Amino acid sequence: MSHQPIPITFALIARIPAEGVADFRAYEDAVLPLLPEFNGRLERRLRNADGTMEIHIVSFASEADFQNYRNDPRRTAQVWLLEKSSAKLELAPMANV
């Protein structure tokens, strides 16, 4: 009996200080294009008018795909931009209702 991967969905809330918006966007520009390689998809991306808050709905085909994305060296090489942005992130696993 084979095990089917269980898709997962996350809501990411990012609160970014005004002085960190450019670095946060540079980080996203570098890492979001990697999602498809890991069976990930940016389902929805919302941003407030001044760019200091973003909400992303992101899904992956499995937990393993998500972990592989998180551990990819191309993504981790860009974490300094995220840190420099001083963004506060909240990542919550979600379910369709």
Side-chain angles (χ1 to χ4, degrees):
M1 184 167 145
S2 68
H3 294 283
Q4 292 294 321
I6 299 170
I8 59 172
T9 300
F10 294 98
L12 171 74
I13 301 170
R15 291 176 174 81
I16 310 118
E19 62 275 6
V21 169
D23 290 317
F24 184 79
R25 288 188 185 168
Y27 170 76
E28 288 188 320
D29 289 347
V31 302
L32 290 177
L34 300 174
L35 286 169
E37 292 182 43
F38 298 95
N39 299 310
R41 181 174 170 191
L42 179 61
E43 305 281 348
R44 187 89 189 253
R45 183 179 182 186
L46 304 166
R47 179 184 295 150
N48 69 349
D50 67 2
T52 59
M53 183 178 210
E54 285 202 21
I55 299 172
H56 298 183
I57 306 298
V58 182
S59 63
F60 289 87
S62 70
E63 175 70 26
D65 288 323
F66 171 64
Q67 292 304 327
N68 289 336
Y69 169 73
R70 297 274 295 179
N71 295 324
D72 184 86
R74 295 167 296 170
R75 192 195 74 78
T76 59
Q78 301 303 315
V79 169
W80 70 274
L81 285 166
L82 181 59
E83 292 169 351
K84 187 176 174 197
S85 78
S86 297
K88 303 295 182 215
L89 305 179
E90 182 179 349
L91 184 66
M94 305 299 281
N96 288 324
V97 293

